[in-house]
Amino acid sequence: MKRYILFFLPLLLFTSCIDEDELANDPRGNFEALWKIMDEHYCFFKEKNVDWNAVHAKYAQQIDNSMTESQTFEVLTHMLSELRDGHVNLYTSFDVGRYWAWHENYPSNVSDTLIRRYLGTDYRIASGLRYRILDDNVAYVRCTTFENALGDGNLDQMLLYLAPCKGLILDLRGNNGGRLTSAEQLAARFCNEKTKVGYMRHKTGKGHDDFSSLEAQYIKPSKGVRWQKPVVVLANREVYSAANEFVKYMKVFPKCTVVGDSTGGGGGLPFSSELPNGWAIRYSVCPMYDVDYRLSEPGVAPDTKVSLSQEDFNRGLDTIIEYARRLLSQGH
């Protein structure tokens, strides 16, 4: 398992050594190369209910060797959008093909204006985490990315500073992911024993159903300072990829409650290949599951769904943060 999870970096590319048939560097050759790469290596055709042969028939008739780069890019990106996967991206020198409907079609349930009211200007910063103690003795930590490594010393100092608090709010809203190792490192501060947090498997062949058996994922407790009081994780649809996995982990821990909206998903380990023209294609290859064998690609549901209300916004209150504060005041 370790040889896979160390490379779950949603914003980076890893070039494959896939032995593809030589195809011409023209619009049709690049179309066929892209379709074949996805056909043989993408992992969610069944879950997305996508007939990839039908997709080929639909878009092949739109490809013409007289097309410009921009026109070719548009057709290839539309074809990839049939997969409805935020980890599927086409990288060129002039644009990135992307599918962001996993969060764009939903309420954001987060407001930077409101968050600034809670953080103020005297908050502390450690490894990119911004934190402070709210006036009701609740710890508030804002975590917007896992792109950077988290320093163990930084986490120790933060948790020691927050230790007198009765509970901790970990605001993950808007976190699109980053390093899976950073997500694991932070999760390790909230458990006291080796804990199974889910499963994963990987492609073993070119067939759509060629997968390995499930391999368990575990979080081992940190050797540094660990949080022993209740924690409420705030999530929204923009929580994706490594952040999506983090929420999956935290839901297993007994003192954690997840509040807000379902996460956006991104539960497939990404890999990348190259087209004849040098464009890079990233795609999901390893499905991830929770402890109950549910696929995490569609997102992780909160324990309690809470949305921002306009009435609270007008009063300068974040409905989701306020709900979390009430939970912690009750000892949850």
Side-chain angles (χ1 to χ4, degrees):
M1 177 184 70
K2 292 180 181 178
R3 59 196 171 107
Y4 297 106
I5 62 177
L6 291 178
F7 296 101
F8 194 39
L9 307 182
L11 300 181
L12 299 180
L13 294 175
F14 299 93
T15 302
S16 75
C17 298
I18 296 168
D19 182 20
E20 302 294 344
D21 295 335
E22 192 70 28
L23 290 165
N25 181 13
D26 55 33
R28 183 156 299 280
N30 285 293
F31 168 80
E32 295 294 346
L34 177 59
W35 184 89
K36 184 178 180 182
I37 288 170
M38 302 301 289
D39 181 59
E40 295 180 350
H41 306 288
Y42 183 68
C43 68
F44 289 133
F45 287 118
K46 182 178 180 180
E47 289 79 6
K48 299 298 179 73
N49 193 29
V50 172
D51 183 338
W52 198 232
N53 288 319
V55 170
H56 182 281
K58 176 181 177 180
Y59 289 94
Q61 60 186 340
Q62 301 179 30
I63 289 290
D64 184 302
N65 278 345
S66 66
M67 298 171 72
T68 65
E69 277 195 332
S70 294
Q71 290 169 332
T72 303
F73 173 80
E74 182 177 0
V75 173
L76 298 188
T77 299
H78 287 167
M79 180 177 74
L80 294 173
S81 293
E82 299 276 356
L83 298 170
R84 307 183 304 280
D85 189 330
H87 270 152
V88 173
N89 300 107
L90 185 61
Y91 294 86
T92 76
S93 61
F94 56 87
D95 202 356
V96 176
R98 56 199 182 270
Y99 177 84
W100 286 350
W102 48 270
H103 73 84
E104 289 176 334
N105 291 344
Y106 298 85
S108 66
N109 276 317
V110 66
S111 164
D112 289 339
T113 299
L114 293 179
I115 287 174
R116 284 195 295 269
R117 293 178 66 94
Y118 287 85
L119 277 174
T121 57
D122 60 344
Y123 56 85
R124 295 189 172 201
I125 303 174
S127 291
L129 303 173
R130 292 177 290 166
Y131 63 98
R132 65 167 300 171
I133 299 174
L134 302 180
D135 56 16
D136 55 353
N137 198 35
V138 166
Y140 177 75
V141 179
R142 181 82 172 116
C143 177
T144 58
T145 184
F146 285 121
E147 289 183 12
N148 305 311
L150 298 178
D152 285 326
N154 296 127
L155 294 178
D156 284 344
Q157 291 296 320
M158 180 183 76
L159 292 176
L160 284 172
Y161 175 78
L162 300 175
C165 298
K166 57 187 175 185
L168 186 151
I169 296 172
L170 181 53
D171 193 345
L172 217 67
R173 291 174 295 174
N175 187 325
N176 293 162
R179 300 172 183 261
L180 189 61
T181 49
S182 294
E184 293 172 333
Q185 189 179 6
L186 184 57
R189 299 296 179 137
F190 298 94
C191 66
N192 293 316
E193 59 185 8
K194 182 179 178 181
T195 304
K196 183 187 294 185
V197 292
Y199 300 90
M200 68 176 298
R201 58 179 183 162
H202 61 273
K203 286 297 294 291
T204 56
K206 296 181 178 180
H208 288 190
D209 296 319
D210 293 342
F211 289 99
S212 69
S213 58
L214 290 171
E215 303 174 25
Q217 297 172 287
Y218 293 92
I219 294 295
K220 295 180 180 180
S222 170
K223 294 180 181 179
V225 178
R226 299 196 297 272
W227 186 260
Q228 303 296 324
K229 298 175 184 179
V231 55
V232 179
V233 174
L234 310 188
N236 68 348
R237 288 291 304 187
E238 290 186 73
V239 172
Y240 196 75
S241 195
N244 183 73
E245 285 293 292
F246 177 81
V247 175
K248 183 185 84 174
Y249 304 157
M250 295 295 289
K251 285 199 73 172
V252 179
F253 303 150
K255 292 186 178 181
C256 176
T257 304
V258 179
V259 168
D261 204 350
S262 292
T263 61
L269 189 73
F271 200 69
S272 73
S273 301
E274 189 173 291
L275 303 187
N277 64 359
W279 293 354
I281 171 64
R282 186 182 67 162
Y283 48 92
S284 302
V285 294
C286 296
M288 319 286 265
Y289 304 83
D290 68 13
V291 289
D292 296 315
Y293 304 98
R294 289 184 295 254
L295 193 70
S296 60
E297 168 66 11
V300 179
D303 295 304
T304 304
K305 183 175 176 60
V306 181
S307 301
L308 293 184
S309 78
Q310 187 62 49
E311 181 182 357
D312 282 341
F313 181 86
N314 294 339
R315 297 163 56 204
L317 298 176
D318 186 307
T319 312
I320 301 174
I321 291 178
E322 292 302 318
Y323 183 88
R325 295 174 80 172
R326 289 195 296 273
L327 279 183
L328 294 173
S329 69
Q330 298 164 5
H332 297 290

